[in-house]
Amino acid sequence: MNKMSLSEMITYSTVLIRCEYSNGTVGSGTGFIINLCSNKENQTCVPVLITNNHVVANSVKTVFEFCKADENGKPIDTQIFSFIYQGNAWIHHPTPSVDLCCLLLAEALNELQKKNTKIFYIPLKTNLIPNNQNLDELSAMEDVVMVGYPIGLSDTYNHKPIIRRGITASHPKKDYQGKKETLLDMACYPGSSGSPVFILNQGAYTTREGIAMGSRVYLLGVLYGGPEFNAKGVLQFANLPNVPVPVTRIPINLGVIIKAERILEFENLFEGVNGGK
């Protein structure tokens, strides 16, 4: 396989999620695959799918769309594999107010392997999550990219998510509104919930010391909502699943992400989990 750029690689980490809810409605959102480690010394890691609680809550049928792979393990971009999930094994974030959940994938991936069904994905790794030192080196205004499926849209022919650009609207090292969150200046539409948001620089980027050459990538956080106007002009905060609602919502091109460090809090729940790599 030809060497991929960083931006191309992260498009293989996301998954389009389609849901049928118990009340008869349908919706969509975004998820992404990351390897979480229950034992860092032994490098015991498990692949999990991360998304928002509100995306999959009350879903009675959830479909994940993966890219197929050929016999050599290379991606077949024009072919998808739809994995249908009707269970209730979502693991909620240990802090109930944090709108994140994850699904262990090892068992499902093992079943696909037994059936010789090949899919292609590139899991993110936790070393992409910025630590305190990394955050201290960032400026208040950083270029960011979001990878996901706004209103369920994608390049269906090539099975690729939509990439959007924006900037941080609050300093990434500070807790926006006192929470482990960051505000973005970016067009964030329903269906984007669960999208990973990255600082992704290729070639050159600015630092506090001036211009740096090379590449830099951080998993900054997970989109979960943002302020909107309704048709009456009332400002309100809304989660962003792609579900029809009777009130006309008008996004104001701001979004809020949960800081990626909160993903690491899932790792304490995986002690003794088998099936990692």
Side-chain angles (χ1 to χ4, degrees):
M1 180 169 52
N2 294 330
K3 187 176 181 180
M4 295 183 186
S5 66
L6 286 173
S7 57
E8 186 176 4
M9 290 175 68
I10 63 177
T11 64
Y12 286 103
S13 68
T14 60
V15 175
L16 174 60
I17 301 176
R18 300 191 186 278
C19 297
E20 295 180 11
Y21 299 104
S22 56
N23 62 1
T25 62
V26 297
S28 67
T30 302
F32 62 93
I33 302 169
I34 186 170
N35 285 339
L36 297 183
C37 301
S38 59
N39 188 323
K40 294 185 183 298
E41 292 182 359
N42 296 329
Q43 289 297 300
T44 303
C45 299
V46 292
V48 302
L49 180 69
I50 298 282
T51 190
N52 297 131
N53 282 322
H54 74 261
V55 171
V56 295
N58 301 314
S59 177
V60 295
K61 181 181 178 182
T62 310
V63 180
F64 311 119
E65 294 188 359
F66 290 89
C67 174
K68 280 190 174 182
D70 63 19
E71 291 300 317
N72 297 315
K74 296 181 180 180
I76 309 175
D77 291 326
T78 56
Q79 297 184 26
I80 65 171
F81 173 79
S82 296
F83 177 74
I84 300 175
Y85 178 71
Q86 293 178 289
N88 190 28
W90 289 97
I91 299 172
H92 298 287
H93 192 275
T95 301
S97 61
V98 177
D99 190 5
L100 289 177
C101 62
C102 72
L103 185 67
L104 295 168
L105 295 178
E107 183 177 350
L109 295 175
N110 289 336
E111 286 299 315
L112 292 179
Q113 188 174 20
K114 291 178 183 178
K115 297 176 182 178
N116 200 32
T117 300
K118 299 183 183 299
I119 61 174
F120 184 87
Y121 65 93
I122 299 177
L124 303 178
K125 296 182 179 180
T126 55
N127 61 8
L128 295 178
I129 298 175
N131 56 33
N132 290 334
Q133 180 180 344
N134 300 142
L135 293 173
D136 285 339
E137 295 171 352
L138 299 178
S139 66
M141 187 178 70
E142 294 282 351
D143 292 327
V144 292
V145 296
M146 178 173 65
V147 185
Y149 306 89
I151 63 172
L153 291 176
S154 66
D155 176 358
T156 55
Y157 180 81
N158 293 296
H159 186 59
K160 286 291 179 292
I162 305 298
I163 302 173
R164 313 205 74 160
R165 293 186 68 97
I167 61 171
T168 54
S170 68
H171 201 303
K173 77 175 181 180
K174 298 184 181 297
D175 293 340
Y176 177 67
Q177 299 285 39
K179 300 178 181 179
K180 294 292 183 183
E181 298 176 357
T182 302
L183 184 68
L184 304 181
D185 182 357
M186 179 184 287
C188 302
Y189 287 87
S192 296
S193 281
S195 296
V197 174
F198 301 88
I199 293 176
L200 178 60
N201 307 116
Q202 299 178 92
Y205 55 92
T206 58
T207 70
R208 292 188 304 178
E209 307 301 325
I211 302 296
M213 302 300 295
S215 297
R216 179 179 67 169
V217 58
Y218 293 131
L219 173 60
L220 197 60
V222 185
L223 184 80
Y224 82 102
E228 298 177 328
F229 276 107
N230 63 23
K232 295 182 179 180
V234 178
L235 183 65
Q236 58 190 16
F237 184 89
N239 292 325
L240 297 173
N242 183 26
V243 180
V245 291
V247 178
T248 301
R249 293 175 174 175
I250 306 170
I252 62 172
N253 291 349
L254 291 175
V256 183
I257 61 173
I258 300 167
K259 289 187 175 182
E261 64 187 79
R262 306 230 65 164
I263 296 173
L264 298 175
E265 296 168 14
F266 282 108
E267 292 187 324
N268 295 331
L269 306 178
F270 297 153
E271 294 293 338
V273 172
N274 195 13
K277 62 180 181 179

